[in-house]
Amino acid sequence: MIREEEVYKIGRLGKTHGVKGEVSFLFDDDVFDRVDADYLVLMVDGILVPFFMEEYRFRSDTTAIIKFEGIDTQERARELTGCDVYFPRELTDSDEGSMSWAEIVGYSITDAGTGQTVGKIVSIDDSTINILFCLEDGTLIPASEELITAIDQENRIITINIPQGLLEL
């Protein structure tokens, strides 16, 4: 059984494409193309299920048309529309210096000054030039490289010099 901590969200399946089981894939991270991966993980009815890719082709920088093995009709593909798409962490090509924003969702934030865990990252706000970590309690922490002191990929912890007074807001 695949556990949520073993994967990270990279996108969502959109509408069906054609009648042979293809579906559009809206992605935030193209890791599935950068590494040699045979499958993606879909959240189907609350369960993480691996689906092997037969083929895919890009339509834009954020959209691909994908065909999964065993999904050969428009009706079967329609059952997958709206499913969140995840990628196995063990297959990623990243190291500390090249992690994608999508990959760090789920990491915990620790304050370098106090050693206290501040919270868990639930999303990344990259809508402005100042990227923010959005924590589960609604707290926003700047995702500035100058503030990050350490990234522990094994334990999924990011240590940050949190500006004084930020957590009291």
Side-chain angles (χ1 to χ4, degrees), residues 1-10 39-43 47-50 84-92 102-107 156:
M1 183 168 172
I2 300 171
R3 297 188 326 248
E4 284 196 48
E5 56 271 5
E6 296 172 342
V7 296
Y8 66 97
K9 185 176 174 183
I10 62 169
Y39 67 96
L40 295 175
V41 178
L42 305 183
M43 179 69 78
I47 300 170
L48 293 168
V49 181
D84 287 334
V85 179
Y86 296 82
F87 194 79
R89 289 184 188 277
E90 68 182 5
L91 299 179
T92 62
E103 198 172 343
I104 62 173
V105 170
Y107 275 52
R156 300 177 59 206

Side-chain angles (χ1 to χ4, degrees), residues 30-45:
D30 67 352
V31 65
F32 66 97
D33 187 52
R34 293 191 317 263
V35 301
D36 188 25
D38 297 328
Y39 67 96
L40 295 175
V41 178
L42 305 183
M43 179 69 78
V44 180
D45 296 329

Side-chain angles (χ1 to χ4, degrees), residues 110-124:
T110 299
D111 184 358
T114 65
Q116 297 287 337
T117 299
V118 177
K120 186 176 280 193
I121 301 170
V122 293
S123 65
I124 306 294

Side-chain angles (χ1 to χ4, degrees), residues 104-111 114-123 133-141 155-160 162 167:
I104 62 173
V105 170
Y107 275 52
S108 294
I109 297 290
T110 299
D111 184 358
T114 65
Q116 297 287 337
T117 299
V118 177
K120 186 176 280 193
I121 301 170
V122 293
S123 65
F133 295 133
C134 305
L135 305 185
E136 55 201 346
D137 67 355
T139 302
L140 300 174
I141 305 287
N155 295 310
R156 300 177 59 206
I157 298 171
I158 298 175
T159 305
I160 298 180
I162 297 175
L167 298 177

Side-chain angles (χ1 to χ4, degrees), residues 96 101 104 109-110 112 133 141-152 157-162:
E96 240 179 70
W101 290 123
I104 62 173
I109 297 290
T110 299
F133 295 133
I141 305 287
S144 169
E145 287 185 34
E146 294 81 34
L147 298 177
I148 297 173
T149 60
I151 299 174
D152 179 350
I157 298 171
I158 298 175
T159 305
I160 298 180
N161 276 322
I162 297 175

